[in-house]
């Protein structure tokens, strides 16, 4: 038998299949079933720039931005005045709720990029257009537990301006 930390990923859930613009507080579902190991995939098409940090996608079980259990499991943003992707995956221990990986280049404007964020075993990995960009370790004993109800998915959260972008084919 495989150890609990390295159990295979569960089957995919389609969260959103059609293209939608990012908007403030756009709740897509509040019934996502999460796993300790997961792969979250989505297509993003940047259409403009926003001056401050801007929200793309957030999976959460809390009603807070940061600093609380289950705030960002994960959350995705564009950096100010850029289309550089910033992907945050909190850990279960206090003070580790803002761990991130990021792109070191801007996603092309008006072109669709495929984003894959994967938490498996000890590693949080960000892949864009089939290129692994960054991996952050240290999650083995610090991941959120799997949850079978009331986990929300937001395309644009309530805490940051929405990114000027469209999202599609979100799967978990």
């Amino acid at each position: 038998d495989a150890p609990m930390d390295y159990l295979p990923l569960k089957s995919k859930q389609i969260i959103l299949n059609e293209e939608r613009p990012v908007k403030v507080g756009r709740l897509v579902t509040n019934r996502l079933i999460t796993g300790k190991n997961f792969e979250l995939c989505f297509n993003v098409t940047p259409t403009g720039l926003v001056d401050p940090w801007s929200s793309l996608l957030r999976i959460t079980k809390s009603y807070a931005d940061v600093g609380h259990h289950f705030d960002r499991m994960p959350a995705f943003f564009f950096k100010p005045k850029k289309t550089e992707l910033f992907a945050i995956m909190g850990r279960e221990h206090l003070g580790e709720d803002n761990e991130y990986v990021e792109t070191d280049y801007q996603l092309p404007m008006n072109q669709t990029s495929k984003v894959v964020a994967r938490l498996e075993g000890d590693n949080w990995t960000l892949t864009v257009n089939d290129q692994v960009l960054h991996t952050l370790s240290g999650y083995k004993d610090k991941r959120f537990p799997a949850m079978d109800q009331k986990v929300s998915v937001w395309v644009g959260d309530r805490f940051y301006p929405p990114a000027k972008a469209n999202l599609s084919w979100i799967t978990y």
Side-chain angles (χ1 to χ4, degrees):
D1 286 335
M4 288 296 286
D5 289 335
Y6 295 95
L7 289 175
L9 299 169
K10 55 190 197 45
S11 59
K12 290 204 184 272
Q13 300 169 75
I14 297 173
I15 300 169
L16 178 71
N17 56 4
E18 70 269 5
E19 187 172 72
R20 293 274 175 90
V22 179
K23 293 192 175 182
V24 173
R26 174 174 262 174
L27 179 65
V28 178
T29 184
N30 62 357
R31 298 189 182 276
L32 180 68
I33 298 170
T34 64
K36 283 184 101 170
N37 293 313
F38 67 85
E39 181 177 273
L40 174 66
C41 304
F42 62 93
N43 292 334
V44 58
T45 307
T47 59
L49 302 176
V50 177
D51 286 342
W53 285 90
S54 57
S55 171
L56 283 167
L57 177 65
R58 179 187 294 252
I59 296 178
T60 185
K61 190 170 168 59
S62 83
Y63 294 97
D65 174 26
V66 66
H68 303 87
H69 230 45
F70 310 118
D71 292 336
R72 298 169 172 187
M73 47 187 298
F76 298 85
F77 303 90
F78 279 153
K79 293 180 181 178
K81 299 179 186 176
K82 296 181 178 181
T83 60
E84 288 181 25
L85 189 63
F86 197 77
I88 300 170
M89 180 64 207
R91 299 183 207 198
E92 192 169 26
H93 298 321
L94 288 175
E96 296 183 349
D97 54 3
N98 213 25
E99 301 294 319
Y100 65 89
V101 290
E102 60 188 318
T103 60
D104 48 9
Y105 63 88
Q106 295 199 57
L107 301 183
M109 196 68 69
N110 298 310
Q111 292 182 32
T112 300
S113 295
K114 181 179 181 180
V115 176
V116 178
R118 185 180 184 107
L119 182 63
E120 187 167 23
D122 194 46
N123 297 315
W124 170 235
T125 303
L126 179 64
T127 302
V128 176
N129 295 327
D130 299 319
Q131 179 183 6
V132 175
L133 299 178
H134 291 282
T135 298
L136 181 64
S137 61
Y139 283 86
K140 183 176 181 191
D141 297 316
K142 300 178 180 180
R143 288 173 293 170
F144 295 121
M147 295 185 200
D148 61 0
Q149 61 180 346
K150 295 188 179 175
V151 177
S152 299
V153 179
W154 300 85
V155 173
D157 66 27
R158 298 173 301 147
F159 310 105
Y160 296 86
K164 290 184 180 175
N166 296 319
L167 296 186
S168 64
W169 284 108
I170 304 171
T171 61
Y172 186 101

